[in-house]
Structures are given as C-alpha cells and as structure tokens.
Amino acid sequence: GESVGLHLPTLSVQEGDNSIINCAYSNSASDYFIWYKQESGKGPQFIIDIRSNMDKRQGQRVTVLLNKTVKHLSLQIAATQPGDSAVYFCAEKEGGKLIFGQGTELSVKP
Amino acid sequence: EAQVTQNPRYLITVTGKKLTVTCSQNMNHEYMSWYRQDPGLGLRQIYYSMNVEVTDKGDVPEGYKVSRKEKRNFPLILESPSPNQTSLYFCASSSGTLQKRHFGPGTRLTVT
C-alpha cells in the first residue's frame, strides 16, 4: 500500500499471477478516484477511474474496488505481464485538485 | 495525435535565473495543471487552471507562477529558481476536473 518515506512500497509478482495494489485515501468527501501507471522515464498514464457512487469497476485486465467505509482503494491486475512493471499511483479528487498517493512499484518476474 | 507537450525536457540552470517551461495540449481541454514529482513525496500539484484566464493554487505554489492566456497553453514560470525547485515537472490536461488527466512527458529541472 501507499506510505510515507523515501522508498516506494514494492510488490513483486510472478508473470501470469494476479496483482493487487492497495491505496488508502484521506478525504471521505472525495468523489472521484483514478489509478495511474508510470513507467520509467515517462509521464503517468491513465488506467482506470471510479466515482464514489460505485464500489467496483472493471476494465481490460484491471479492476478497481472502492471501500468508502474504510477509505480504501485497490487495483487488481489479472494475469500480470512484464509490461505491467511500473509504479502505480492512486489519486483522489478534491475540488479542482487531484491528490496523488506516493505510489507502489510493481515488479513482474518472468 | 492527441498529446500534451512540454519544453524543454531537460534543463540545468543557476539560482535566480528566470525560466519558463512551456506546456501545450491539442485536445481542446479546459483543464490544465502542473505537478512536481520528488522521491518519497510523489506527485504534488503546483497550479491548475479550469479555463482561460482562470488559475488556482495547488498544494505547493510557492516560487511558481502560471498564466492561461490561450486554451492550449499553460506555461510554468520560475521567476527566481532555487535549488529546492530541482525536480521532475509534469503538465497535464483534461476535458473537465472529473475526467482522466493526460500527462506530458515531463521536464527534468536542475537548479544549481
């Protein structure tokens, strides 16, 4: 999950396994959440979003789950591939701003 | 191709020498914003703009200025850069605040 510190949380998975990346958000009034993927040397890339009136949303190989009771967001990646290796950020919308978590580094072992 | 472009991509400068990082998007997006990314601190918003001539402070606006005279451009201005502004900067745009942000490729700034 997301945490404060100089080192990113890391998650290492075997190719083909499912990955679950967790994120705790801070503002119970946030109404929109996004997951981004950032590969080395590139800008963040949108993966999937979810509004607060939903608790689950599915995309291609990805699912986002939202638990507003405990202010928790998760990203599930099915059949993880080497190309999924990256840093993953959750972000919550507060007014006109997006507040990002610090990110989790996903490493996929062949 | 829909994209956000930033220039320069890399810049090394000295303390106090004014600089501008340009950002341009070709998607006719109303919303644009600037972020800085630092190890251990993640992405933090500097300024954002909901439309032409409308700008607001983000979480870390000190030492920065922006302008939004045209819809497609949102330059970031450092009037007197200092070493603590050494960072990786990203510009982003979206069609609204509740829409996915398209990020530029980043500008790596070093202030000595």
Side-chain angles (χ1 to χ4, degrees):
Chain A
E2 311 270 328
S3 66
V4 177
L6 289 177
H7 299 287
L8 287 178
T10 57
L11 175 66
S12 184
V13 301
Q14 205 70 38
E15 181 178 358
D17 287 352
N18 297 334
S19 303
I20 299 176
I21 301 171
N22 297 303
C23 175
Y25 64 92
S26 56
N27 188 351
S28 57
S30 295
D31 56 3
Y32 180 62
F33 305 88
I34 310 179
W35 279 99
Y36 282 93
K37 171 186 180 183
Q38 187 175 23
E39 296 173 281
S40 181
K42 296 184 179 180
Q45 179 184 7
F46 172 89
I47 302 173
I48 191 168
D49 57 0
I50 188 168
R51 301 190 183 209
S52 60
N53 60 353
M54 304 170 70
D55 53 20
K56 180 179 180 179
R57 190 164 189 222
Q58 287 184 290
Q60 190 174 23
R61 275 201 312 120
V62 295
T63 301
V64 56
L65 299 177
L66 175 62
N67 185 331
K68 294 182 286 293
T69 303
V70 295
K71 293 190 286 187
H72 183 267
L73 198 63
S74 69
L75 176 71
Q76 301 177 3
I77 304 174
T80 313
Q81 302 167 0
D84 294 327
S85 293
V87 176
Y88 289 81
F89 295 94
C90 66
E92 59 180 308
K93 177 181 165 293
E94 285 187 13
K97 300 188 294 183
L98 266 186
I99 309 296
F100 284 82
Q102 290 188 47
T104 295
E105 184 170 8
L106 175 65
S107 176
V108 182
K109 295 177 288 188
Chain B
E1 180 191 352
Q3 60 182 352
V4 178
T5 57
Q6 296 178 226
N7 281 292
R9 294 290 315 278
Y10 302 91
L11 178 59
I12 301 174
T13 189
V14 296
T15 299
K17 186 176 181 182
K18 181 179 178 179
L19 66 92
T20 299
V21 184
T22 65
C23 172
S24 183
Q25 50 92 6
N26 62 1
M27 296 167 278
N28 201 36
H29 284 165
E30 293 86 15
Y31 185 98
M32 298 185 74
S33 56
W34 276 103
Y35 297 85
R36 61 178 289 174
Q37 186 174 34
D38 303 289
L41 297 174
L43 281 153
R44 294 179 293 167
Q45 192 167 44
I46 304 170
Y47 268 95
Y48 63 98
S49 169
M50 295 209 186
N51 216 323
V52 176
E53 302 291 0
V54 180
T55 62
D56 280 295
K57 295 178 180 179
D59 295 313
V60 288
E62 295 78 20
Y64 304 94
K65 286 174 58 177
V66 292
S67 69
R68 189 88 182 275
K69 293 182 171 34
E70 307 165 279
K71 199 171 189 179
R72 65 181 291 127
N73 296 323
F74 191 45
L76 179 69
I77 304 156
L78 284 73
E79 295 271 6
S80 183
S82 61
N84 65 12
Q85 292 179 298
T86 292
S87 188
L88 179 59
Y89 291 87
F90 289 101
C91 180
S93 74
S94 60
S95 60
T97 60
L98 203 63
Q99 302 296 329
K100 65 179 183 181
R101 305 283 160 87
H102 295 261
F103 280 82
T107 295
R108 187 166 289 283
L109 172 66
T110 301
V111 183
T112 61

